[in-house]
Amino acid sequence: MSVPDSVLARLPRTVQVLLLRHRELLKFGTVGAITFIIDTGIFYALKLTVLSPKPVTSKVIAVLVATLVSYLLNRDWSFRTRGGHRRHHEATLYFLISGIGVALYSAPLWVSRYVLHLQMPYTSRLVEEVADFTAGQIIGLLLGMAFRWWAFRKWVFPADQQQVGPIDPPQQDRALIR
């Protein structure tokens, strides 16, 4: 029995059922947490060093790297039980939707910097950093994540045609619930 299975077996039955019903969303969220760390690390590494005058460029590069990691993890883990398309078609759709996601991730930072002027010399360094983090790492992340969750399930990793209505837990998952 794997570690996640043994942890799941120790939880109350109602929690097990809830987690199993939303396992795809939980996996997507876990991938999101991993790529959030990658995105934040690259964003600040670039923003505070070689691309300090170009924070939006730093954000775009960070999101692109995180998106590549996200594709690999989502394809092989989060959505592995779904239908889908041939690999090249799936990847094309994934990166097209992720491109829209990059715009959604970056738009709040762009508005913060260039519309609201929450940058030096108009504000203090502290206000600039808090505004950059809030706009780029929180608001942008939430906008992009909600859009990507919806779009990936609808177009990139669609459910098989046989799956209509609520998805029954696989046989091995039903055994854990009992």
Side-chain angles (χ1 to χ4, degrees):
M1 183 180 278
S2 69
V3 173
D5 289 341
S6 63
V7 169
L8 187 64
R10 295 171 200 247
L11 297 173
R13 186 176 191 290
T14 55
V15 174
Q16 288 179 9
V17 170
L18 182 67
L19 291 175
L20 289 172
R21 179 171 290 145
H22 300 290
R23 67 183 163 275
E24 199 172 74
L25 178 60
L26 293 170
K27 289 177 178 181
F28 182 79
T30 301
V31 169
I34 292 166
T35 56
F36 174 80
I37 293 167
I38 292 169
D39 173 39
T40 302
I42 292 172
F43 172 60
Y44 279 104
L46 293 173
K47 180 181 174 278
L48 297 175
T49 59
V50 296
L51 290 175
S52 60
K54 298 180 182 259
V56 176
T57 303
S58 300
K59 184 63 181 169
V60 169
I61 291 170
V63 169
L64 289 174
V65 172
T67 299
L68 180 60
V69 172
S70 173
Y71 172 65
L72 297 172
L73 291 175
N74 278 316
R75 182 193 70 209
D76 292 336
W77 188 52
S78 302
F79 299 112
R80 75 185 159 119
T81 60
R82 288 180 154 264
H85 308 281
R86 284 189 222 126
R87 194 62 56 113
H88 69 280
H89 184 71
E90 177 186 275
T92 301
L93 284 172
Y94 191 94
F95 289 107
L96 177 67
I97 288 167
S98 293
I100 297 167
V102 168
L104 290 172
Y105 277 97
S106 303
L109 179 61
W110 185 87
V111 168
S112 172
R113 280 291 183 117
Y114 305 115
V115 175
L116 301 177
H117 299 291
L118 295 175
Q119 61 180 327
M120 291 177 52
Y122 307 109
T123 65
S124 69
R125 176 74 175 192
L126 177 63
V127 170
E128 177 183 280
E129 292 302 324
V130 169
D132 283 358
F133 184 81
T134 303
Q137 299 304 108
I138 296 175
I139 297 170
L141 174 99
L142 292 174
L143 284 172
M145 186 174 65
F147 169 75
R148 290 173 70 225
W149 167 251
W150 170 76
F152 289 163
R153 287 176 50 95
K154 182 160 180 71
W155 290 305
V156 180
F157 306 108
D160 289 336
Q161 294 297 1
Q162 297 94 342
Q163 291 181 351
V164 178
I167 299 171
D168 245 1
Q171 191 65 33
Q172 68 185 34
D173 291 344
R174 276 191 235 129
L176 291 172
I177 296 171
R178 294 180 195 170

